Amino acid sequence: MFIDTLIEKIKEKNNPTVVGLDPKIDYVPSFIKEEMFQKYGANLKGVAEAILKFNKMLIDSIYDIVPAVKPQLAYYEMYGVEGVRVFYETCKYAKEKGLICIADGKRNDIGTTAEAYSSAFLGNTKVDDNCMEAAFDVDALTVNPYLGVDGIKPFVNDCANFGKGIFVLVKTSNKSSGQLQDLLTQEGKSIYEKVAEYVNDWGANVIGKYGYSSVGAVVGATYPNQAKILRKILRNAYILVPGYGAQGGTARDVAHSFNSDGLGALVNASRSIMCAYKDEHWSGIYTEDKFNEASRAEALRMKDDINQVIGA
């Protein structure tokens, strides 16, 4: 079961964080760009190869200290077919290194289309009557609950059938999230509270041995007060927490998403780790050709930062 594997990886590495692999070509050090542009040309193929090398070097530098990575699909899709190939290759490489791979795609649609999305990322795709084959085969996927239960059920079914996980958007980290998510229902509860209640229901049949469900929630670090409320509602859900680091969330903010057992949340950082070599704190220590060492140092700093607050 996905959630049990995730928790065991977190315990093994004493690290409740996930590294977001959301690459732009601007993030890639010049020596990698120059090498790949010279070999493949200054085109989408060259960009994709540069990003793939960048991702692999990052993974090599962190796989032994973090439990998971989270590639954001948009950053690959914007480079077209070559970018989608790099997404696939990145996920495959991360899993070969023993990392859990969470695809951040925020997918959903009406029932049959949701089935197709779920088959692509979590389940199997039919080739013919005698053959089913995994396409992207990631461990978990972020999903959008806006279409209701018929858009969620295919993903939940594949969580049960294939040992995978999903994280449902509940309270996102962006500034305008309150336009919809904070609206009050006729019951006097906000939309995000109602979605959290549904998450409990949707995940009730995929609860693992540690008491947590493979149907989790996304709650941004930039809304710590809402996280306090949601932690009480989401009794069995693991919370994926974006917004730490570059978006302004702090360790004290993300602490509200954890339970008293020190579990219950997985905190994401993307730019602050990928681009650590550009940060003034690390740029004086690590040169550009040592960008991966800077990323490792920042990942360890983040781990200690969050563990210290959880422990307190």
Side-chain angles (χ1 to χ4, degrees):
M1 185 174 284
F2 164 76
I3 193 61
D4 291 341
T5 304
L6 175 63
I7 290 171
E8 284 159 8
K9 294 276 187 185
I10 290 170
K11 287 184 172 184
E12 174 193 340
K13 297 176 181 178
N14 189 31
N15 191 350
T17 73
V18 54
V19 175
L21 297 178
D22 308 350
K24 291 182 178 180
I25 191 60
D26 296 343
Y27 299 168
V28 178
S30 57
F31 76 94
I32 295 178
K33 281 189 282 190
E34 289 167 7
E35 177 191 350
M36 295 305 166
F37 283 10
Q38 185 174 7
K39 187 173 182 180
Y40 298 102
N43 49 37
L44 291 177
K45 173 72 171 176
V47 168
E49 293 296 336
I51 287 173
L52 182 57
K53 182 167 184 177
F54 177 64
N55 282 355
K56 285 185 173 181
M57 291 181 71
L58 277 174
I59 289 169
D60 286 344
S61 71
I62 60 164
Y63 76 90
D64 62 323
I65 59 172
V66 301
V69 292
K70 183 177 71 63
Q72 161 56 263
L73 273 147
Y75 287 89
Y76 300 87
E77 291 172 344
M78 71 175 174
Y79 297 113
V81 173
E82 289 292 338
V84 173
R85 178 182 61 81
V86 169
F87 169 79
Y88 172 81
E89 294 291 344
T90 296
C91 294
K92 180 181 176 184
Y93 190 74
K95 291 182 73 172
E96 287 172 354
K97 289 288 187 176
L99 291 166
I100 286 174
C101 188
I102 301 167
D104 193 354
K106 301 176 178 68
R107 295 300 197 253
N108 209 324
D109 213 304
I110 60 171
T112 53
T113 312
E115 287 177 12
Y117 276 135
S118 190
S119 294
F121 291 98
L122 305 178
N124 285 335
T125 298
K126 182 178 178 180
V127 177
D128 60 29
D129 290 340
N130 300 312
C131 180
M132 300 287 287
E133 193 168 326
F136 292 111
D137 195 27
V138 296
D139 297 299
L141 177 70
T142 58
V143 299
N144 190 324
Y146 192 73
L147 281 80
V149 68
D150 65 327
I152 292 291
K153 193 173 181 180
F155 298 98
V156 177
N157 289 343
D158 282 343
C159 287
N161 294 333
F162 297 96
K164 301 300 181 74
I166 58 172
F167 291 95
V168 180
L169 302 183
V170 173
K171 179 60 182 171
T172 56
S173 58
N174 57 307
K175 290 181 180 179
S176 64
S177 66
Q179 285 185 319
L180 291 178
Q181 295 164 16
D182 292 4
L183 292 176
L184 294 180
T185 67
Q186 61 186 12
E187 300 173 41
K189 296 178 180 180
S190 65
I191 294 291
Y192 68 77
E193 289 174 289
K194 290 299 297 180
V195 174
E197 291 175 0
Y198 285 126
V199 168
N200 282 339
D201 294 339
W202 295 335
N205 293 326
V206 284
I207 293 176
K209 63 184 179 182
Y210 298 100
Y212 289 96
S213 173
S214 286
V215 175
V218 177
V219 178
T222 48
Y223 293 100
N225 291 330
Q226 288 86 339
K228 290 180 187 178
I229 296 168
L230 289 166
R231 181 68 277 173
K232 294 176 182 177
I233 298 172
L234 294 161
R235 297 180 301 275
N236 302 110
Y238 235 79
I239 297 176
L240 177 62
V241 188
Y244 174 92
Q247 290 187 54
T250 67
R252 290 194 176 277
D253 294 331
V254 305
H256 299 300
S257 293
F258 287 85
N259 279 317
S260 57
D261 59 4
L263 298 172
L266 183 68
V267 183
N268 176 78
S270 301
R271 276 174 291 166
S272 57
I273 292 178
M274 287 189 300
C275 300
Y277 74 99
K278 296 184 177 184
D279 184 88
E280 62 181 14
H281 180 75
W282 299 115
S283 60
I285 303 171
Y286 299 101
T287 54
E288 187 183 68
D289 62 324
K290 302 291 186 183
F291 77 93
N292 49 339
E293 295 180 22
S295 294
R296 180 182 177 87
E298 175 60 21
L300 286 169
R301 187 210 61 78
M302 177 185 177
K303 169 189 170 181
D304 292 342
D305 187 32
I306 291 171
N307 278 341
Q308 186 174 18
V309 172
I310 295 172

